[in-house]
Amino acid sequence: MLNTFLLVRKELLNEIDALSDKQLNMKPSEDKWSVSQVIRHLAFIDEAILRALRKAVQEESKRVTEKNLDSALDRTNKIKSRLPEPSTEFTNKEDLWKILNQARTPLLEYINEIIDGTVIEDKSMIHPVFGPISIKQMIESIGLHEKRHIEQIKEIKESILNC
C-alpha cells in the first residue's frame, strides 16, 4: 500500500520536474488552476488527512465494508473541492517541493505508526466523496487523489505548452 503511495508521488515529481517556475505558475485560463495551485492543494490535502487520521484513530468507530474507490480517477466526474482555493502567489519549484515535503513527511510518519492492520481495517472515518471508509482505504485514497491531479497537471501542461 505505501509502495504505491510513494510511486505516485514519484510520478507527480517526474511530471513537473521539467517545468520552469513560470510554467508552474501559469494558469491555462482564469477558471483553471496552475500546476502550482494543484501542488498547494495536494499539500493541503495531506495536512487535512493527517488531522482526520489522528482524530479517527482516537475515536470509536466500526468496521465498514470496503468500497470501490476507482471512480476517484474519473476526471470526467468533476468534483468541486470544499477546501479554500489554493493561492495564486508565484512560487518557485524549490519552494513547491518544500511545501509538498513539509506536508507529506508527517503524514507518512503517522501512517507508519498506525499501519497495524487491526487499526486501519477495523476503524473507519468519513471521506468527503465516498462517505464512511476504513482508515486503510483512506490511506489508499491519498494516492488515488494524487493520481487524479497528475492527470489534471498533464492537461494543464498540454494547454500551457501549446500556447
Side-chain angles (χ1 to χ4, degrees), residues 22-141:
K22 181 179 177 184
Q23 290 168 329
L24 286 168
N25 289 277
M26 191 181 295
K27 292 175 70 165
S29 66
E30 272 309 306
D31 63 332
K32 305 269 186 197
W33 285 359
S34 67
V35 172
S36 174
Q37 286 178 287
V38 174
I39 298 302
R40 288 174 183 278
H41 170 75
L42 292 172
F44 192 82
I45 290 293
D46 279 0
E47 292 166 349
I49 289 177
L50 176 58
R51 288 189 302 272
L53 283 172
R54 285 186 169 138
K55 184 177 177 188
V57 167
Q58 299 302 316
E59 292 180 345
E60 290 293 320
S61 66
K62 60 182 180 178
R63 188 178 192 110
V64 294
T65 305
E66 294 235 340
K67 296 181 178 178
N68 182 340
L69 304 179
D70 290 341
S71 64
L73 299 174
D74 180 6
R75 295 245 330 118
T76 62
N77 179 21
K78 299 296 181 189
I79 301 170
K80 177 76 173 137
S81 176
R82 299 177 196 168
L83 303 173
E85 183 96 357
S87 170
T88 57
E89 178 183 340
F90 188 93
T91 310
N92 65 43
K93 190 183 302 184
E94 184 180 322
D95 288 342
L96 285 173
W97 283 180
K98 286 179 190 171
I99 290 168
L100 273 175
N101 287 330
Q102 286 172 347
R104 181 56 58 96
T105 300
L107 177 60
L108 282 174
E109 288 170 355
Y110 189 69
I111 289 170
N112 280 321
E113 285 177 31
I114 64 168
I115 209 76
D116 170 6
T118 306
V119 171
I120 67 173
E121 292 176 359
D122 288 346
K123 288 195 164 255
S124 61
M125 57 194 295
I126 304 297
H127 187 280
V129 174
F130 296 108
I133 62 175
S134 68
I135 289 176
K136 175 182 176 264
Q137 282 203 295
M138 180 60 88
I139 294 168
E140 291 170 1
S141 79

